[in-house]
């Protein structure tokens, strides 16, 4: 993709005029990809990224001077200097504070964000119609030191079998790094707390089946060389780079939807800004059916009740969260003076 030599372009996107300034600014120095390349990349996968972002409050990870420059997360759309057609949704943080976040209604919102130096899109797992009840359950399979992408793929395969038993379809994608993400489209009937509990229950069942491969241990010192199921990605205000989002690394990789059958054969580094548009044009979106059958998570909530009755209750929240009802102590096990010791 070649960057434009014009100082400013005006481009029609989804019925709106979007301004593209400094198109030749280099965003990915190792690959030579420019701001124009990023902008037109997002247009090329428009149908796919809108399936991931439409009507979702979205945090923007911006790199105005490129990925080697200063970066920041933008959670609030400015009150001024924003096109009148830009949509927002009000969300509440764990602290109780509120913010109006970008809420893409069409591809012009993505293009506008790219013009503002956005590289990575981090949508909430909710829609604007009900920002307190997730419609997307996200399973983040995160390889720990001593493991790699192939271990995450193996864990994803085990997860697929478990989901088949539950009668629900999982939708896998590469993380853009070493991990694998699997999404479930769910009915928006439950709170963040309930959906997180359901995610913990699913993760624990996966861990029981493959304890040498999978861990739910929140504390790094207890994880070992296993794949961590990061259940706190379902806590309020924790987000994951969406399908077709670029990642801020030197390779300019893309978090790319894949079919289950191809997951074992792919190399995540093959999916990048330069390659994904052709793949998308040729194959379409493997997640095209994700919205077809939202699932009732009651079986997972029943598992959570079963686990609680057996002494496996809630797990720690991230440190920036207020203390939650029923949450265990947030103390690293090796520093917990009240923890029973062996011997």
């Amino acid at each position: 993709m070649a960057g434009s030599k014009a100082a400013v372009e005006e481009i029609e996107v989804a019925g709106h005029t979007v301004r593209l300034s400094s198109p030749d600014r280099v965003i990915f120095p190792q690959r030579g990809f420019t701001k124009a390349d990023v902008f037109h990349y997002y247009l090329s996968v428009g149908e796919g990224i809108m399936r991931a972002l439409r009507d979702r409050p979205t945090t923007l990870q911006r790199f105005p001077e490129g990925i080697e420059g200063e970066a920041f997360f933008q959670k609030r759309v400015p009150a001024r200097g924003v096109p009148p057609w830009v949509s927002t949704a009000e969300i509440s943080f764990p602290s109780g504070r509120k913010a109006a976040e970008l809420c893409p209604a069409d591809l012009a919102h993505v293009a506008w964000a790219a013009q503002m130096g956005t590289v990575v899109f981090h949508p909430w797992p909710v829609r604007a119609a009900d920002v307190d009840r997730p419609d997307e359950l996200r399973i983040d399979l995160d390889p720990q030191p001593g493991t790699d992408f192939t271990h995450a793929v193996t864990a994803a395969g085990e997860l697929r079998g478990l989901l088949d038993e539950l009668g629900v379809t999982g939708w896998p994608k590469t993380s853009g790094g070493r991990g694998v993400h699997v999404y479930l489209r769910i009915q928006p009937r439950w709170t963040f707390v309930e959906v997180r509990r359901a995610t913990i229950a699913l993760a624990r069942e996966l861990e029981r089946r493959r304890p040498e491969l999978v861990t739910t241990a929140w504390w790094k010192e207890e994880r070992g060389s296993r794949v961590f199921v990061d259940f706190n990605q379902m806590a309020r205000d924790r987000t994951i780079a969406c399908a077709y989002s670029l990642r801020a690394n030197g390779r300019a990789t893309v978090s790319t939807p894949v079919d289950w059958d191809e997951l074992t054969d792919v190399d995540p580094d093959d999916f990048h800004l330069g390659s994904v548009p052709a793949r998308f044009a040729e194959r379409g979106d493997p997640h095209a059916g994700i919205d077809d059958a939202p699932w009732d998570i009651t079986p997972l909530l029943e598992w959570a009740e079963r686990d609680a009755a057996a002494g496996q209750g809630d797990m720690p929240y991230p440190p920036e969260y207020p203390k939650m009802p029923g949450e265990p102590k947030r103390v690293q096990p090796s520093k917990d003076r009240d923890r029973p010791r062996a011997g």
Side-chain angles (χ1 to χ4, degrees):
M1 298 181 181
S4 168
K5 295 186 180 300
V8 177
E9 298 180 46
E10 290 189 345
I11 300 168
E12 290 296 312
V13 183
H16 302 289
T17 300
V18 181
R19 183 173 179 267
L20 174 60
S21 63
S22 305
D24 292 328
R25 178 176 294 148
V26 176
I27 304 299
F28 291 94
Q30 292 184 33
R31 302 296 301 273
F33 293 134
T34 65
K35 184 178 177 182
D37 294 331
V38 171
F39 185 97
H40 290 289
Y41 162 77
Y42 280 121
L43 298 188
S44 74
V45 296
E47 178 186 349
I49 197 164
M50 284 309 302
R51 184 170 287 112
L53 290 179
R54 189 180 302 278
D55 297 330
R56 297 192 184 279
T58 301
T59 300
L60 308 177
Q61 189 175 0
R62 293 176 55 189
F63 297 81
E65 302 302 322
I67 65 164
E68 295 183 358
E70 182 179 355
F72 62 95
F73 288 89
Q74 181 171 327
K75 296 188 176 186
R76 291 175 170 81
V77 171
R80 298 180 180 179
V82 176
W85 45 263
V86 167
S87 297
T88 62
E90 186 177 81
I91 47 86
S92 297
F93 300 115
S95 65
R97 294 180 297 109
K98 298 181 182 295
E101 283 206 334
L102 182 72
C103 189
D106 55 39
L107 189 57
H109 289 70
V110 178
W112 173 78
Q115 151 63 17
M116 299 293 289
T118 300
V119 172
V120 189
F121 290 84
H122 295 267
W124 282 47
V126 300
R127 307 275 188 176
D130 192 341
V131 296
D132 294 315
R133 297 185 184 274
D135 73 330
E136 193 165 72
L137 190 157
R138 301 166 175 176
I139 303 129
D140 181 6
L141 301 172
D142 183 11
Q144 299 302 290
T147 64
D148 57 23
F149 180 72
T150 60
H151 296 90
V153 168
T154 301
E158 295 291 335
L159 174 63
R160 182 188 186 187
L162 182 54
L163 297 177
D164 286 345
E165 293 175 22
L166 290 165
V168 59
T169 300
W171 302 86
K173 67 182 180 71
T174 65
S175 69
R178 300 187 311 133
V180 174
H181 301 155
V182 180
Y183 285 7
L184 308 183
R185 185 66 78 242
I186 64 174
Q187 298 169 9
R189 295 166 45 194
W190 297 275
T191 65
F192 274 97
V193 170
E194 291 169 317
V195 176
R196 178 179 172 275
R197 286 185 67 222
T199 306
I200 292 171
L202 181 62
R204 281 175 167 157
E205 184 62 26
L206 186 62
E207 182 181 36
R208 290 187 192 102
R209 298 188 180 198
R210 291 295 302 272
E212 84 292 351
L213 174 67
V214 173
T215 180
T216 60
W218 175 244
W219 302 104
K220 290 182 180 180
E221 65 184 32
E222 295 186 323
R223 293 177 189 171
S225 297
R226 292 179 287 179
V227 176
F228 171 52
V229 185
D230 189 355
F231 51 85
N232 270 330
Q233 292 292 9
M234 284 309 307
R236 180 185 290 272
D237 193 33
R238 293 294 285 259
T239 57
I240 297 175
C242 73
Y244 297 105
S245 176
L246 291 162
R247 303 308 308 269
N249 56 49
R251 306 179 305 283
T253 59
V254 172
S255 183
T256 305
V258 294
D259 294 325
W260 278 111
D261 291 341
E262 69 174 327
L263 181 59
T264 55
D265 297 324
V266 301
D267 182 335
D269 282 351
D270 289 341
F271 301 137
H272 54 76
L273 187 155
S275 66
V276 170
R279 170 185 164 89
F280 189 85
E282 178 183 350
R283 301 190 46 174
D285 183 9
H287 284 192
I290 193 171
D291 293 313
D292 292 349
W295 187 55
D296 179 342
I297 66 170
T298 298
L300 298 184
L301 294 174
E302 291 173 348
W303 286 3
E305 292 298 327
R306 174 201 65 190
D307 291 346
Q312 288 188 305
D314 203 355
M315 300 280 273
Y317 275 77
E320 69 272 17
Y321 279 65
K323 185 69 174 179
M324 300 294 286
E327 181 190 359
K329 291 195 301 182
R330 293 183 201 170
V331 179
Q332 188 173 329
S334 61
K335 297 181 180 179
D336 186 358
R337 296 181 179 179
D338 298 327
R339 186 181 179 91
R341 305 295 177 184

